[in-house]
């Protein structure tokens, strides 16, 4: 593993700015504790562990000196999973600690890796909390997935000679403008990064505009293209039997946010008249919204089944609500059409590559700034159609439901996009470990 020697001591102004940032964060601490206490009462031990570890009291890994990989939540964990497995293959003796900030992210770590990695919740970015975490985990290197840049964490790693790299780095134009406004605080932080492996040209260019040294940048493409593609036929057969989906056409909406469920219900109520066998599967992004979405479906008069109840759908069922984590990929396998959420709601859009990898044609709203290159290449291939409202969804869905050949062609185009663009994991590994003796 590489090590770096602290250099370029911070100026007095930079120190004061970081102190000001820390004081503001400290002032918010009581509100964080209250929020976490409420979540602990509602949701139990997972949130209690997050609250304790948020102060730096994280569990000690089996062996110190390993790799700390930070993933914010579910999406980042899934995206990083291929890279983590490759690192495990290359360095089997290396302890890998994966940190998340959400309980759903922690659950996905457990589902994917079991006990082969060590999980912690990343502490609040206060010096005492981050120092406690670094002392307990004792990483030889830190990898940050996509966007989570914390000034105190990076400063403490720099002081202790622990290299920090950003992998699958994302820097939107909006984020770049925000960082630039606070450049007195964030520019020193960026200078202390060892490497930034960018997922696209936009991200590479924005890091350059923020003043990072060009030698620290690497354009790797997006490691989301390297997702593990499951056996679609086996996955579909399993889920059709589990949920009673025989002889149904299926419109699946994955990772949805408010108000996307309302829009999809509006579209579904009209589509159902023309396609009586059509079933809508809703997969809300956040578990705290499961009950609210269920109530919404029932108030609209739709016959609704919830996966958590273990009830199978019948021919009268209108909606299957996936109210458990970790089901999305399996449900994509049974879909005829997929809507990817967070895209009519202005959340930047979630991962369109999951349905694309399974050959499912995609509908997506105009908010796509989280993965603009991915969305554009899927649109160019004819695998993704942009929709803005329920009427657009109806028009596109009608075409694909009426013409199976057109639907299959769009799905195959998405699958080909995934296969053509694979290789970012290898490029990232080459960038990260180019000077490592292994």
């Amino acid at each position: 593993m590489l090590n770096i020697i602290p250099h370029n001591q911070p100026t007095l102004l930079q120190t004061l700015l970081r102190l000001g940032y820390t004081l503001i964060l400290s002032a918010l601490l009581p509100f964080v504790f209250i929020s976490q206490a409420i979540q602990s009462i509602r949701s139990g031990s997972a949130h209690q562990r997050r609250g304790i570890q948020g102060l730096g009291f994280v569990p000690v890994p089996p062996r110190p000196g390993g790799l700390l990989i930070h993933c914010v939540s579910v999406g980042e964990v899934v995206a990083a999973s291929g890279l983590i497995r490759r690192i495990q293959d290359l360095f089997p003796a290396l302890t890998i600690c994966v940190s998340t900030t959400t309980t759903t992210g922690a659950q996905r770590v457990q589902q994917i890796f079991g006990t082969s990695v060590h999980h912690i919740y990343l502490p609040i970015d206060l010096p005492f909390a981050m120092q406690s975490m670094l002392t307990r985990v004792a990483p030889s290197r830190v990898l940050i997935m996509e966007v989570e840049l914390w000034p105190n964490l990076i400063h403490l790693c720099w002081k202790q000679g622990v290299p920090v790299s950003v992998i699958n780095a994302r820097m939107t134009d909006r984020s770049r403008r925000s960082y630039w406004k606070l450049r007195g605080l964030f520019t020193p932080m960026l200078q202390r990064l060892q490497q930034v492996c960018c997922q696209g040209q936009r991200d590479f260019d924005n890091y350059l505009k923020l003043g990072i040294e060009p030698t620290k940048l690497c354009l790797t493409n997006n490691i989301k293209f390297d997702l593990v593609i499951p056996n679609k036929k086996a996955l579909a057969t399993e889920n059709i039997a589990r949920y009673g989906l025989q002889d149904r056409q299926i419109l699946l909406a994955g990772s949805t946010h408010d108000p996307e469920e309302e829009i999809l219900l509006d579209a579904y109520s009209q589509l159902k008249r023309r396609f009586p066998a059509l079933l809508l599967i809703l997969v809300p992004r956040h578990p705290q919204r499961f009950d609210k979405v269920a109530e919404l479906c029932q108030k609209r008069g739709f016959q609704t089944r919830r996966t958590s109840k273990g009830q199978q759908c019948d021919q009268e069922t209108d909606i299957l609500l996936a109210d458990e984590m970790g089901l999305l990929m399996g449900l994509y396998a049974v879909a005829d059409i997929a809507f990817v959420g967070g895209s009519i709601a202005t959340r930047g859009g979630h991962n369109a590559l999951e349905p694309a990898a399974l050959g499912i044609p995609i509908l997506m709203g105009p908010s796509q700034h989280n993965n603009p290159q991915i969305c554009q290449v899927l649109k160019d291939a004819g695998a993704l159609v942009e929709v803005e409202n329920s009427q657009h969804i109806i028009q596109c869905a009608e075409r694909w439901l009426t013409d199976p050949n057109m639907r299959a062609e769009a799905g195959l185009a998405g699958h080909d996009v995934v296969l053509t663009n694979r290789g970012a994991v290898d490029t990232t590994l080459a960038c990260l470990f180019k000077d490592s003796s292994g």
Side-chain angles (χ1 to χ4, degrees):
M1 291 292 173
L2 301 174
N3 284 300
I4 53 175
I5 305 299
H7 63 286
N8 296 333
Q9 292 298 321
T11 65
L12 177 60
L13 176 60
Q14 292 169 354
T15 301
L16 290 174
L17 286 170
R18 196 176 66 257
L19 176 60
Y21 159 80
T22 300
L23 290 173
I24 292 171
L25 205 56
S26 300
L28 297 174
L29 207 54
F31 300 99
V32 174
F33 285 153
I34 292 170
S35 173
Q36 291 186 347
I38 294 171
Q39 290 176 330
S40 295
I41 293 170
R42 290 176 176 172
S43 305
S45 59
H47 284 288
Q48 292 172 8
R49 289 194 298 274
R50 188 178 69 165
I52 293 169
Q53 294 184 36
L55 296 176
F57 301 110
V58 302
V60 177
R63 296 182 303 276
L67 199 63
L68 172 60
I69 303 176
H70 177 57
C71 304
V72 185
S73 191
V74 173
E76 291 78 13
V77 171
V78 172
S81 60
L83 178 69
I84 293 172
R85 290 202 183 281
R86 287 293 302 280
I87 293 173
Q88 288 176 318
D89 291 340
L90 290 170
F91 307 100
L94 183 67
T95 298
I96 296 180
C97 179
V98 179
S99 64
T100 64
T101 57
T102 68
T103 55
T104 52
Q107 291 166 5
R108 187 54 62 91
V109 171
Q110 172 65 30
Q111 290 168 353
I112 295 175
F113 299 106
T115 59
S116 69
V117 303
H118 180 76
H119 175 265
I120 65 170
Y121 288 104
L122 191 75
I124 299 164
D125 193 37
L126 294 170
F128 77 89
M130 285 299 187
Q131 183 57 65
S132 174
M133 182 274 292
L134 289 172
T135 300
R136 288 166 176 262
V137 175
S140 61
R141 190 169 193 170
V142 175
L143 305 182
I144 297 172
M145 184 71 178
E146 294 197 359
V147 293
E148 286 270 299
L149 303 177
W150 295 108
N152 282 321
L153 170 62
I154 293 172
H155 177 74
L156 289 168
C157 287
W158 171 78
K159 281 184 67 177
Q160 296 170 34
V162 178
V164 179
S165 299
V166 187
I167 56 176
N168 215 44
R170 180 157 53 89
M171 181 64 69
T172 66
D173 296 339
R174 183 178 177 182
S175 295
R176 187 247 310 159
R177 289 191 293 268
S178 297
Y179 279 122
W180 183 252
K181 290 175 184 177
L182 297 170
R183 55 190 176 276
L185 174 64
F186 287 107
T187 298
M189 176 186 69
L190 296 176
Q191 290 172 343
R192 287 167 190 148
L193 295 172
Q194 186 187 60
Q195 289 165 311
V196 178
C197 300
C198 298
Q199 62 175 249
Q201 191 64 51
R202 175 206 63 177
D203 313 288
F204 186 99
D205 293 342
N206 280 334
Y207 268 102
L208 273 180
K209 290 175 183 177
L210 286 171
I212 197 168
E213 296 173 27
T215 55
K216 294 183 177 182
L217 289 175
C218 182
L219 183 58
T220 59
N221 205 350
N222 198 318
I223 66 174
K224 290 181 179 179
F225 282 109
D226 288 54
L227 79 170
V228 176
I229 303 176
N231 183 316
K232 179 183 176 181
K233 184 176 180 180
L235 202 56
T237 300
E238 175 188 346
N239 282 276
I240 288 170
R242 178 183 298 171
Y243 301 115
L245 306 178
Q246 296 86 350
D247 303 318
R248 301 299 298 265
Q249 290 180 297
I250 295 173
L251 168 61
L252 184 146
S255 299
T256 56
H257 296 257
D258 182 33
E260 289 171 335
E261 294 91 4
E262 281 272 20
I263 293 169
L264 285 154
L265 291 176
D266 288 341
Y268 175 72
S269 64
Q270 295 189 50
L271 288 167
K272 179 77 170 178
R273 296 169 192 165
R274 183 173 178 187
F275 305 96
L278 185 64
L279 176 76
L280 174 63
I281 300 180
L282 292 175
V283 190
R285 178 70 172 181
H286 296 122
Q288 61 267 31
R289 297 189 62 246
F290 290 160
D291 290 340
K292 181 179 179 181
V293 174
E295 290 174 8
L296 173 65
C297 295
Q298 289 161 1
K299 284 180 180 177
R300 295 284 298 267
F302 294 111
Q303 293 292 323
T304 305
R305 295 284 187 269
R306 300 176 67 160
T307 61
S308 62
K309 304 295 184 183
Q311 300 172 322
Q312 286 208 334
C313 298
D314 56 33
Q315 292 304 310
E316 302 303 316
T317 304
D318 298 308
I319 296 169
L320 177 64
L321 174 62
D323 58 348
E324 302 168 276
M325 300 303 296
L327 301 182
L328 184 56
M329 199 66 170
L331 290 171
Y332 273 138
V334 305
D336 294 288
I337 301 169
F339 170 84
V340 176
S343 57
I344 291 180
T346 55
R347 300 300 185 94
H350 294 297
N351 189 2
L353 290 178
E354 291 182 338
L358 292 170
I360 310 301
I362 303 157
L363 302 176
M364 198 166 180
S367 182
Q368 300 168 10
H369 59 259
N370 286 341
N371 301 288
Q373 292 93 347
I374 286 175
C375 293
Q376 189 59 55
V377 72
L378 288 171
K379 281 188 277 190
D380 291 344
L384 185 155
V385 176
E386 190 171 300
V387 293
E388 295 187 6
N389 52 46
S390 60
Q391 287 304 310
H392 288 170
I393 293 172
I394 292 166
Q395 292 165 10
C396 295
E398 282 182 337
R399 287 199 300 270
W400 280 336
L401 291 172
T402 304
D403 190 336
N405 291 330
M406 181 186 296
R407 186 172 71 239
E409 185 178 334
L412 181 60
H415 182 72
D416 289 345
V417 164
V418 174
L419 295 182
T420 302
N421 287 277
R422 294 170 78 83
V425 165
D426 288 337
T427 307
T428 300
L429 287 170
C431 181
L432 292 175
F433 299 107
K434 59 186 175 184
D435 297 321
S436 174
S437 59

